[in-house]
């Protein structure tokens, strides 16, 4: 690898393999480097949406009038929406650059392999992401969009402005998620034997499932919609968020039990 791999990174790679039932696979510098860049990228990918949410909240409150009769309120809102659109574009660009960073390290690792191993049948989104997680992701985005559009058409005043803020942010997050998932599902395999092929597949699965957690979708109403008060309409928002969080927890628990059964299955035969 172009960068020297530290012994701590090799140890982390060994622990990562052991935790996933691949203790017999040797933790190579290639694997350690790929895991290291993913850890750094995930940290940045966690900070970036947090900064986006803080900026969205500031944009939202910046256009709220101090007094109901303040002049220029419409102009302030138009400027706020323009700034929010720029923030959305920056979020999508930032997520794309993080993905490019990870893929570049993968490409460098693949270029140094003496030979390339691959799957007989390329794993599709059903295998990598899973139907339950894909369905939850689609339902969460669709449900959030429906609630925001309904608020935009049926409510007025500050509630409509909050719905516009939410819709713009939601569109940006959806595009960023789609770009990330496309990269995860389509990037080439980086492996030279059966063990590294299994590790590559598990990394792909973890990358996809990390991207598919709709944390920002759950957080966007907090920085905009909920400011209008916890009326019956916003109570529906709260119930929607809680139900989707519970659904994700159940899916994660089910995946954990399935993975544990898969690891112990061969040893019981």
């Amino acid at each position: 690898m172009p960068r020297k791999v530290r012994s701590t990174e090799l140890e982390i790679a060994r622990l990562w393999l052991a935790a996933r039932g691949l203790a017999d696979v040797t933790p190579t510098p290639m694997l350690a480097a790929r895991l290291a860049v993913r850890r750094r990228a995930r940290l940045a990918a966690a900070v970036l949406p947090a900064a986006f949410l803080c900026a969205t909240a500031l944009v939202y409150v910046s256009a709220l009038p101090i007094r109901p009769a303040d002049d220029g309120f419409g102009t302030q809102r138009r400027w706020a929406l323009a700034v929010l659109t720029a923030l959305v574009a920056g979020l999508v660009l930032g997520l794309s650059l993080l993905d490019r960073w990870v893929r570049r390290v993968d490409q460098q690792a693949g270029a140094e392999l003496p030979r390339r191993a691959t799957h007989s049948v390329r794993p599709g989104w059903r295998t990598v992401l899973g139907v339950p997680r894909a369905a939850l992701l689609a339902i969460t985005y669709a449900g959030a969009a429906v609630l925001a559009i309904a608020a935009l058409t049926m409510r007025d005043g500050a509630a409509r402005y909050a719905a516009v803020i939410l819709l713009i942010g939601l569109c940006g997050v959806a595009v960023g998620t789609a770009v990330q998932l496309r990269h995860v599902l389509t990037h080439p395999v980086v492996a030279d034997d059966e063990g590294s092929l299994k590790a590559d597949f598990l990394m792909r699965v973890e990358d996809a499932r990390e991207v598919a957690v709709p944390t920002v979708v759950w957080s966007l109403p907090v920085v905009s919609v909920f400011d209008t008060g916890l009326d019956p309409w916003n109570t529906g928002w709260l119930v929607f968020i809680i139900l989707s969080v519970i659904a994700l927890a159940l899916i994660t628990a089910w995946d954990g039990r399935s993975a544990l059964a898969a690891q112990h299955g061969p040893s019981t035969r």
Side-chain angles (χ1 to χ4, degrees):
M1 299 296 296
R3 179 180 67 86
K4 184 178 179 180
V5 177
R6 294 176 293 182
S7 59
T8 54
E9 293 178 347
L10 284 172
E11 177 62 15
I12 291 173
R14 186 189 67 79
L15 295 174
W16 183 88
L17 290 168
R20 287 149 185 81
L22 298 177
D24 57 330
V25 177
T26 302
T28 61
M30 177 192 74
L31 176 63
R34 296 183 68 196
L35 290 174
V37 73
R38 278 164 171 77
R39 289 194 302 273
R40 297 185 180 97
R42 284 175 184 170
L43 177 60
V47 172
L48 191 60
F52 171 73
L53 288 169
C54 292
T56 300
L58 290 174
V59 168
Y60 173 67
V61 300
S62 68
L64 292 178
I66 299 176
R67 297 181 301 274
D70 280 350
D71 295 330
F73 185 32
T75 302
Q76 291 176 3
R77 285 186 174 178
R78 286 193 291 270
W79 274 108
L81 294 180
V83 172
L84 180 60
T85 302
L87 288 173
V88 166
L91 175 66
V92 175
L93 178 61
L95 293 174
S96 299
L97 291 176
L98 288 176
D99 279 342
R100 183 174 297 181
W101 178 29
V102 174
R103 304 311 156 209
R104 184 170 64 249
V105 172
D106 284 354
Q107 289 173 358
Q108 292 172 351
E112 296 188 0
L113 292 176
R115 60 192 181 91
R116 299 292 288 265
T118 187
H119 300 279
S120 56
V121 178
R122 186 182 183 87
W125 65 269
R126 290 180 178 84
T127 304
V128 175
L129 182 59
V131 175
R133 288 178 184 272
L136 175 63
L137 187 65
I139 291 171
T140 301
Y141 275 100
V146 168
L147 286 170
I149 292 172
L152 186 62
T153 56
M154 298 174 61
R155 308 187 79 187
D156 55 13
R160 292 189 65 187
Y161 171 59
V164 173
I165 291 288
L166 178 59
L167 272 175
I168 294 176
L170 188 64
C171 290
V173 175
V175 171
T177 300
V179 169
Q180 287 181 293
L181 283 176
R182 179 182 176 276
H183 288 168
V184 172
L185 295 172
T186 59
H187 79 270
V189 172
V190 181
D192 60 351
D193 57 20
E194 184 179 355
S196 59
L197 190 62
K198 291 178 181 178
D200 180 89
F201 173 73
L202 288 177
M203 272 191 283
R204 194 184 300 264
V205 169
E206 291 183 2
D207 288 347
R209 293 181 179 181
E210 183 78 17
V211 171
V213 178
T215 307
V216 182
V217 181
W218 298 331
S219 304
L220 275 171
V222 178
V223 301
S224 57
V225 172
F226 286 169
D227 179 66
T228 58
L230 198 60
D231 55 14
W233 187 272
N234 289 337
T235 300
W237 263 109
L238 188 59
V239 171
F240 169 75
I241 294 171
I242 292 174
L243 289 177
S244 58
V245 171
I246 292 173
L248 179 62
L250 292 174
I251 292 171
T252 303
W254 174 262
D255 286 343
R257 287 196 297 269
S258 299
L260 186 62
Q263 289 181 20
H264 289 288
S267 62
T268 60
R269 292 180 182 177

